[in-house]
Amino acid sequence: MVIPNKVRIVEVGPRDGLQNEAQQVPAAIKIELIDRLTDAGLPVIEATAFVSPKWVPQMADAAAVMAGIRRKAGVGYPVLVPNRKGLDAAIAAGCDEVVVFGAATEAFSQRNTNCSIDEGLARFYEVCAEAIARGLRVRGDISVCLGCPYEGEVAPSQVTRVARALYAMGCYEITIADTIGAGTPGKTRAVIEDVAQHIPVAKIAGHFHDTYGQALANTLAALECGVATFDSSVAGLGGCPYAKGATGNVATEDLLYMLDGMGIATGIDMEKLIAAGSFICAALGRETQSRVARARAGKPAAAK
Ligand code: HMG
Ligand code: MG
């Protein structure tokens, strides 16, 4: 398989990153972050989640965030929806793309969405049918594909079963997520090869958390399988409230550095991206998790 010469980066920091913050982040900060990411050239920015505020209070301002951002033509601003109620709220907020999110294990499905895998799929079936009938695009995420905090090892066939179901109900892309960042390149390859027996590889995306420092290695393994879409989080923000100890996604700056170095086109401006990361880290009172942003900060301007 030839490595793709163009990659689509899906920025998930405003959602995956900020959903995990203990402090309430004002909607105005989220809006400025998304606008800065738009200016940096991100083609897709996962903006927020229309989920139960009792479960994830940080995303309770989803409608305000969608109303405040400056949407650029050609840029996607998908939002997570767990059920019909979330879809209805997303449509009312003018969203044109939603993300349904299932899991490869029963235990994680219960913790994250309070239902079994099949109950979740039944909800997503309804969400997909309604969303697609109204002209929205639907992406399908699958959690814990490379390891589960409750069940441990996950067989590729568990992932493939859910991926096939989501693809059959009309998801235009299936995201293989390593929620706890425990996967390694061998596991990544095994899962992608299994899923790709049933779904075109062009419809598969990678979403790698970096808990064990494997996310870029897993990205390279996925690239070698032909995957050309990757989720990442500016400044490496985030984690999942239902996967304790898991850190953020691979930092977008670090992913971009690797892809730039490999001559793979993304259309993203590194300096503006680093500035967006600095902005959100300052707002949160936090050090960046991006190795590239840290290295750049230590260099004199002329050497950048
Ligand atoms: P439940 O408690 O079983 O649902 O939660 P329910 O239908 O009984 O509703 C409970 C209350 O929530 C009700 O309010 C509903 O109206 C309300 P009450 O009557 O008590 O006042 N409610 C909602 N409110 C707003 N928007 C909604 C909504 N739905 C119900 N959409 C439910 C089930 C799925 C709703 C809940 O478990 C939930 O919202 N879970 C979301 C969890 C979540 O957001 N997790 C993080 C995102 S996934 C992730 O990070 C992984 C990913 O990054 C990939 C990876 O790395 O693995 C994508
Ligand atoms: Mg995630």
Side-chain angles (χ1 to χ4, degrees), residues 15-16 19 46 49-56 80-83 85-87 89 99 101 108 111-114 123 141-144 177-179 207 209 239-242 249:
R15 194 281 304 169
D16 202 331
Q19 73 181 7
E46 209 173 75
F50 287 85
V51 296
S52 170
K54 291 183 178 152
W55 285 65
V56 185
L80 262 60
V81 297
N83 53 19
K85 188 174 172 114
L87 175 66
V99 183
F101 50 104
F108 194 82
R111 304 283 177 121
N112 200 33
T113 46
N114 202 26
R123 286 177 193 171
D141 286 6
I142 308 173
S143 286
V144 296
D178 183 9
T179 313
H207 174 115
H209 285 259
C240 175
Y242 299 99
N249 294 81

Side-chain angles (χ1 to χ4, degrees), residues 39-274:
D39 286 342
L42 269 305
V44 187
I45 303 168
E46 209 173 75
T48 183
F50 287 85
V51 296
S52 170
K54 291 183 178 152
W55 285 65
V56 185
Q58 194 59 254
M59 295 285 110
D61 58 4
V65 169
M66 289 312 293
I69 59 173
R70 192 173 28 77
R71 294 190 217 184
K72 185 175 168 187
V75 175
Y77 299 93
V79 298
L80 262 60
V81 297
N83 53 19
R84 181 62 196 262
K85 188 174 172 114
L87 175 66
D88 291 345
I91 290 171
C95 300
D96 50 21
E97 180 170 341
V98 295
V99 183
V100 292
F101 50 104
T105 70
E106 289 297 342
F108 194 82
S109 179
Q110 288 291 350
R111 304 283 177 121
N112 200 33
T113 46
N114 202 26
C115 64
S116 70
I117 294 174
D118 286 342
E119 284 164 350
L121 290 175
R123 286 177 193 171
F124 303 151
Y125 185 84
E126 188 198 353
V127 167
C128 282
E130 182 63 22
I132 292 165
R134 285 168 170 265
L136 279 77
R137 280 156 48 91
V138 188
R139 199 171 191 237
D141 286 6
I142 308 173
S143 286
V144 296
C145 294
L146 302 179
C148 174
Y150 311 110
E151 294 188 20
E153 286 293 316
V154 176
S157 58
Q158 292 173 263
V159 179
T160 299
R161 180 176 91 82
V162 179
R164 291 180 74 179
L166 292 174
Y167 193 61
M169 56 182 91
C171 292
Y172 76 89
E173 187 166 76
I174 306 297
T175 307
I176 305 298
D178 183 9
T179 313
I180 57 170
T184 51
K187 262 193 200 169
T188 303
R189 195 171 298 117
V191 169
I192 288 168
E193 283 175 354
D194 204 84
V195 174
Q197 284 178 30
H198 303 276
I199 294 170
V201 77
K203 305 284 184 183
I204 299 174
H207 174 115
F208 303 121
H209 285 259
D210 201 27
T211 318
Y212 286 79
Q214 303 294 300
L216 282 180
N218 294 342
T219 301
L220 183 57
L223 274 169
E224 287 172 352
C225 294
V227 173
T229 301
F230 294 94
D231 297 3
S232 61
S233 182
V234 68
L237 296 173
C240 175
Y242 299 99
K244 282 225 170 321
T247 65
N249 294 81
V250 63
T252 308
E253 298 90 324
D254 300 4
L255 175 62
L256 180 61
Y257 183 83
M258 182 179 95
L259 296 173
D260 280 350
M262 294 173 73
I264 297 174
T266 61
I268 298 168
D269 180 321
M270 177 68 93
E271 301 311 320
K272 287 185 176 176
L273 177 63
I274 289 178

